[in-house]
Amino acid sequence: MHFKLWYLIFIIFFTNTNFIVKINAEGKNNGFIQRKLGLYISDRPKNILVGSVIGGGSHLNPMLEICKILEDRGYKVTLAAPGNFTAKSTLYHSIPQIITGERRDTYKLPGYNKAFFNKYTFKNLVDSRKDTNERYIKTFNNYLQAYKETYADLLFCDYSANDACFDLAWKLKKPVVGFASTTVYFTPPHPFISDPMMNCNVNMEHESFYNRFICALVQPLRISWYFRKNLEYLNSKRAEVGVNKHDDFRGRITNTLFLIDTFFGFEISSAWNPIHQEIGPILPDTYPGLSPDLELFLSTHPRTMYIALGTYVYTTTNNYVILLQSALELINHNILDGVIWATVKFNESELPSTFTLSTGDVIPTSNLLDNLYPHIHITKFAPQFAILSHENTKVFLSHGGIGSSHESMYTATPMLVLPIAFDQPGNAERLELSGMALKLSKLDLKIDDIESKVIKLMNEKRFKMNAKRMQTLAKFNSKRKYRGADLIEIVMNLAEQEGVRNENNELEVDNDVLLRHWITPDSRMGLIRGKYLDVFGAAVIIGITLIGGFGYGSYKIIRFAFKRWFSKGKDARENSSKHKNE
Ligand SMILES: *[C@@H]1O[C@H](CO)[C@@H](O)[C@H](O)[C@H]1NC(C)=O
Ligand SMILES: *[C@@H]1O[C@H](CO)[C@@H](O)[C@H](O)[C@H]1NC(C)=O
């Protein structure tokens, strides 16, 4: 009753907008003053230095998207990364780049063939870090040089293999913000989350005790053990440039603010450390449109599958042949009528000269490659977002890179995921768990399997429904790149307030205390107090004592009562027999 009355008053008051407008127009009676929205920004231009060792293309775009927002807000941003990227980029050419060497092609990196062609495990990850650790000093000096050219007030560091960037900030006492696109290395606080890289699942909810034990305890210990030599080596290199050693192989993740390009729904939900903030999915506001020939192809092929395995990874020629053969069979069986294949990485001279379909038709490979076969369009580069946005694109066969996954969710395109390495196997599991995707195995790729999965994705409504659910989450969360920029501004302003100027008039901060408001008290309380093991341990002991005491007491009482009853019964029987005798 009460509630209804208040509700009525509320409705009458707030739906009567005329009434409110009238008060505001008079401006006398309400006593309201506009809250100042201007945020604190000092007159000094603030310089931000962005550091990445991987560089170019899909990897850097989300970080640079945040940088563009900061530029619009009056900050000066400079990128230090290998390759000549921003000058050639349409979206990010406003950001000047200090080129720190050539971008390394994955084909030429040691160990990548092994990692891409076999099962990808944490050992591949550790081994690939050897290579970056060997170049630590060079990278560190590149960043130092870039700092001297920009006098940056804040470093914004890409997380991947980039210890030098974080270390430089610590050494120079500059505020630093990290950026990561995956949670793989941030998982240890939540034992129910793991990764295929560790031979575990991203969600351990339904796993046996044995698997949970292995994945929560044994595998993390194995990783640290496997990393130890790398870490020793890295610490020796750190010593050479005057950086204190750091004993967490994951880097400075516990006391650095990290922006993470992901969102719950895609990510397994769990309580995060406040110093790790999810701000994804980050997508640019504009995207390149379809070329006339793609526009024509898509509009004339209402059931198109789009294939793109990314610009960075590759798979075996045998797998490429299976994918091409599957595409042809799917078209031949009239399940699809079009296939667009972009970012092709296969070596054309290693493909067979013809493809023979199950119906006996023979298609010369050269016809496919020259786009003479009317149902398949092969191209090196493609406007991916425009293709995914087209209503005739029904399925996306992808390697499951984070950027492609975000775009597919944003456009509600069901996916068939063929993960190759890095975070991709984990992404494939996350996408499958979301109900909008099915996954394939690069080690056991089969035409029948691909065909039956494409049929499922096209015919079962649940995939599209779940994709739409992910679309809602992705669309609303994609506004959070502005939050990412806000967080960087917060750190800069705190540094301005709390920093101390040194003899060169440079602002220095204590990174260990600058972000204390985001660091949870348990990190200072030690393992036992922090996890409340003392309290819960005591509770268990008290519980056991009480249950034990109660059990023992009950036992005594029952024994006593039983004895009494037994002896009473005996007396009674004796009495009754006496009576009978009488
Ligand atoms: C980078 O690319 C731009 C645009 O193509 C070009 O003008 C510039 O000379 C290049 N810089 C280097 C160092 O190659
Ligand atoms: C393509 O394959 C042929 C034959 O195996 C080989 O000779 C050639 O070097 C390869 N090309 C590339 C770019 O890898």
Side-chain angles (χ1 to χ4, degrees):
M1 289 300 276
H2 233 83
F3 172 72
K4 272 188 184 161
L5 190 69
W6 277 112
Y7 187 64
L8 203 69
I9 293 173
F10 177 83
I11 292 286
I12 290 170
F13 188 80
F14 281 99
T15 51
N16 195 343
T17 42
N18 273 343
F19 172 66
I20 294 173
V21 168
K22 220 159 131 194
I23 291 184
N24 279 347
E26 285 170 9
K28 285 175 197 162
N29 301 331
N30 68 356
F32 274 54
I33 298 163
Q34 177 65 48
R35 173 166 57 87
K36 283 207 181 78
L37 293 174
L39 300 168
Y40 166 72
I41 288 175
S42 71
D43 304 334
R44 212 162 55 88
K46 291 198 168 89
N47 292 332
I48 298 172
L49 178 62
V50 186
S52 167
V53 288
I54 295 183
S58 56
H59 185 78
L60 273 179
N61 291 354
M63 266 185 113
L64 296 182
E65 203 53 44
I66 292 178
C67 293
K68 253 181 30 174
I69 297 170
L70 289 164
E71 271 192 336
D72 288 344
R73 295 181 183 175
Y75 291 88
K76 244 183 95 186
V77 183
T78 309
L79 169 70
N84 186 2
F85 176 59
T86 58
K88 293 182 176 164
S89 147
T90 319
L91 287 173
Y92 307 113
H93 63 261
S94 64
I95 299 168
Q97 180 181 356
I98 295 170
I99 297 171
T100 57
E102 254 182 62
R103 185 156 193 246
R104 289 149 71 83
D105 198 335
T106 30
Y107 283 95
K108 294 172 196 147
L109 292 181
Y112 272 118
N113 266 338
K114 213 172 86 190
F116 291 173
F117 294 168
N118 304 310
K119 187 174 163 59
Y120 188 80
T121 72
F122 68 84
K123 290 188 180 177
N124 295 114
L125 175 78
V126 180
D127 291 345
S128 69
R129 288 300 305 274
K130 267 183 201 143
D131 178 57
T132 41
N133 287 347
E134 273 161 20
R135 287 176 300 128
Y136 174 86
I137 292 188
K138 195 163 168 283
T139 313
F140 185 91
N141 286 330
N142 281 339
Y143 287 140
L144 186 60
Q145 184 60 33
Y147 170 76
K148 285 178 180 160
E149 287 172 32
T150 56
Y151 279 98
D153 302 288
L154 178 138
L155 272 74
F156 186 26
C157 300
D158 179 19
Y159 177 63
S160 299
N162 205 7
D163 293 292
C165 188
F166 293 92
D167 288 347
L168 180 70
W170 238 263
K171 183 166 184 229
L172 296 175
K173 300 193 169 135
K174 291 288 158 192
V176 55
V177 175
F179 185 93
S181 57
T182 166
T183 50
V184 171
Y185 320 103
F186 293 79
T187 49
H190 298 290
F192 57 85
I193 292 175
S194 192
D195 195 84
M197 190 193 295
M198 308 215 252
N199 228 351
C200 300
N201 292 337
V202 292
N203 184 351
M204 298 298 293
E205 190 176 351
H206 301 296
E207 298 296 310
S208 65
F209 173 81
Y210 176 78
N211 284 348
R212 289 187 297 119
F213 187 87
I214 297 288
C215 294
L217 281 177
V218 180
Q219 292 297 70
L221 286 175
R222 283 185 67 207
I223 291 198
S224 324
W225 179 251
Y226 205 75
F227 244 111
R228 78 193 188 287
K229 283 226 175 78
N230 263 357
L231 196 59
E232 266 169 33
Y233 180 78
L234 181 59
N235 278 330
S236 73
K237 293 284 153 188
R238 280 173 167 147
E240 283 181 42
V241 289
V243 172
N244 291 342
K245 70 178 196 153
H246 187 75
D247 282 330
D248 189 338
F249 71 88
R250 298 166 301 167
R252 300 179 187 275
I253 65 161
T254 49
N255 46 4
T256 306
L257 171 67
F258 266 89
L259 310 181
I260 304 178
D261 184 11
T262 188
F263 60 99
F264 293 125
F266 174 67
E267 209 62 53
I268 306 299
S269 69
S270 65
W272 278 15
N273 195 329
I275 206 156
H276 301 154
Q277 303 237 349
E278 27 127 24
I279 53 146
I282 299 175
L283 291 139
D285 295 331
T286 57
Y287 58 91
L290 295 172
S291 58
D293 52 343
L294 273 174
E295 176 85 64
L296 181 67
F297 185 92
L298 269 171
S299 59
T300 50
H301 296 88
R303 281 170 291 135
T304 294
M305 175 162 82
Y306 171 56
I307 306 178
L309 298 179
T311 51
Y312 202 67
V313 295
Y314 49 87
T315 184
T316 58
T317 302
N318 191 33
N319 278 351
Y320 287 125
V321 172
I322 291 173
L323 288 175
L324 265 173
Q325 181 85 32
S326 308
L328 290 167
E329 296 289 1
L330 281 160
I331 291 164
N332 201 34
H333 294 156
N334 201 24
I335 294 152
L336 299 171
D337 57 13
V339 168
I340 297 172
W341 190 334
T343 66
V344 286
K345 285 224 169 219
F346 48 71
N347 180 344
E348 295 180 2
S349 58
E350 284 179 357
L351 296 179
S353 58
T354 56
F355 280 87
T356 308
L357 298 186
S358 50
T359 47
D361 294 344
V362 176
I363 296 167
T365 307
S366 56
N367 279 7
L368 291 176
L369 299 175
D370 298 339
N371 286 336
L372 297 174
Y373 181 70
H375 297 286
I376 296 189
H377 185 94
I378 293 177
T379 168
K380 278 256 184 273
F381 301 100
Q384 176 158 305
F385 195 80
I387 292 174
L388 292 174
S389 300
H390 199 285
E391 56 174 1
N392 287 348
T393 305
K394 301 297 186 206
V395 178
F396 179 18
L397 198 162
S398 164
H399 64 310
I402 194 71
S404 295
S405 303
H406 285 167
E407 291 183 351
S408 208
M409 289 185 277
Y410 196 97
T411 55
T413 315
M415 291 176 91
L416 188 54
V417 192
L418 175 60
I420 308 292
F422 313 119
D423 56 331
Q424 295 153 20
N427 294 343
E429 273 190 27
R430 280 183 268 270
L431 289 162
E432 199 171 64
L433 285 172
S434 79
M436 64 168 277
L438 292 171
K439 61 183 195 318
L440 301 167
S441 161
K442 68 172 181 180
L443 300 175
D444 186 26
L445 201 58
K446 290 201 176 72
I447 298 169
D448 292 345
D449 188 39
I450 296 175
E451 199 168 336
S452 72
K453 282 176 177 162
V454 171
I455 292 173
K456 272 191 181 171
L457 288 165
M458 305 266 300
N459 295 340
E460 292 180 21
K461 289 221 166 57
R462 63 188 169 107
F463 292 104
K464 188 71 187 177
M465 270 169 56
N466 287 320
K468 289 215 158 136
R469 181 189 153 77
M470 297 309 285
Q471 180 180 43
T472 303
L473 293 170
K475 276 194 170 171
F476 281 91
N477 284 323
S478 71
K479 294 177 190 169
R480 295 188 302 180
K481 61 183 175 183
Y482 298 97
R483 170 73 180 153
D486 289 347
L487 288 164
I488 290 179
E489 281 200 280
I490 290 176
V491 175
M492 286 194 109
N493 281 314
L494 289 177
E496 188 89 19
Q497 288 155 5
E498 296 194 359
V500 179
R501 301 220 164 255
N502 68 8
E503 61 273 21
N504 299 329
N505 201 32
E506 291 171 57
L507 207 60
E508 293 185 341
V509 298
D510 184 348
N511 269 317
D512 282 314
V513 297
L514 186 70
L515 304 179
R516 56 188 177 276
H517 55 283
W518 278 319
I519 293 179
T520 51
D522 58 339
S523 66
R524 295 185 292 266
M525 290 165 72
L527 180 69
I528 291 181
R529 290 182 71 231
K531 294 229 181 288
Y532 261 64
L533 297 179
D534 50 353
V535 171
F536 296 133
V540 168
I541 291 170
I542 292 169
I544 289 173
T545 313
L546 284 178
I547 290 167
F550 181 73
Y552 184 70
S554 313
Y555 166 72
K556 279 289 201 191
I557 290 167
I558 289 167
R559 219 174 85 130
F560 179 72
F562 185 74
K563 265 189 177 164
R564 284 288 296 269
W565 177 81
F566 196 73
S567 56
K568 253 193 192 164
K570 219 164 120 186
D571 289 349
R573 279 194 298 280
E574 276 167 9
N575 282 346
S576 72
S577 64
K578 267 182 199 165
H579 284 299
K580 269 186 193 164
N581 288 347
E582 280 168 8

